[in-house]
Amino acid sequence: MAKILFVMTGADHWTLADGTKHPSGFWAEEAVAPYEAFKAAGHEIVVATPGGVVPTVDRGSLAPEFNGGQEGADRMAAALASITELGHPISLEDVRLDDYAAVFYPGGHGPMEDLALDPVSGRILVDALASGRPLAVVCHAPAAMLAATKEDGTNAFAGYEVAAFTNAEEAQAGFADKAKWLLETRLVEAGVDVRVGEPWAPNVVVDRNLFTGQNPSSSAPLAAELVKRLG
């Protein structure tokens, strides 16, 4: 049994370009689907957030339209409620990377608010990438990569092939013209090779020990790849 670190947003909103605080947090499917896959494989999960705050779920991610109907929404809510680890996170500052076999970052708009600027998370990412242990990041969570700066000032993920929530998907979700910045654009500016797939379709990219997924539907296949790597 391996121990997997879930690094999650501590934000409960996403500040838009006009200053509006849009209620947000983590996206349910992006935590639930990987959690279930990892637990089914016999692994242990530890949740870490900035300051050790209990992570907030984006209520929109529990809506029927994002879960294939009311039955799916009910199942997602029940699954989320059963993840007791979410109620007892540790602080990012207390993470000892050597304690974990792999690191996983669920998305949601929350990481755009806090992890994109968090130096402690950035250091965890730099060290995890350099360590060779599997590192998996999905949807909006690659925003955290923007804080992963090496000592020479360059981004640790520059030159890596990465899947992340795309500008096209942000536009279709109705936020592209409201956002302060767009994830795909910022990653490209940092030197990351963003591999864009079809909007909303699963797209998983593996580059060395980095596993990334484009959107919520990529969460389960991304987790499956990580389980295979962990053996």
Side-chain angles (χ1 to χ4, degrees), residues 63-91:
E65 58 263 37
F66 294 117
N67 292 284
Q70 188 60 54
E71 186 176 331
D74 292 344
R75 193 201 79 82
M76 184 65 71
L80 191 63
S82 73
I83 302 178
T84 56
E85 293 91 342
L86 289 173
H88 308 282
I90 65 171
S91 174

Side-chain angles (χ1 to χ4, degrees), residues 118-218:
D118 192 301
V120 182
S121 169
R123 174 51 51 194
I124 291 171
L125 286 169
V126 171
D127 292 347
L129 195 64
S131 74
R133 59 173 45 78
L135 168 62
V137 192
V138 68
C139 200
H140 284 93
M145 296 177 182
L146 299 173
T149 306
K150 296 192 291 187
E151 289 182 4
D152 63 4
T154 61
N155 190 282
F157 294 90
Y160 276 80
E161 293 186 355
V162 167
F165 201 72
T166 65
N167 291 354
E169 287 168 321
E170 204 70 85
Q172 290 177 21
F175 286 110
D177 58 350
K178 301 175 184 177
K180 288 182 179 179
W181 50 274
L182 296 175
L183 178 56
E184 179 189 336
T185 299
R186 280 285 178 88
L187 289 172
V188 170
E189 290 171 354
V192 178
D193 183 6
V194 179
R195 313 301 289 180
V196 176
E198 288 296 316
W200 313 110
N203 177 32
V204 173
V205 173
V206 180
D207 186 348
R208 287 157 276 186
N209 61 315
L210 178 64
F211 298 70
T212 51
Q214 179 172 316
N215 44 37
S217 67
S218 304

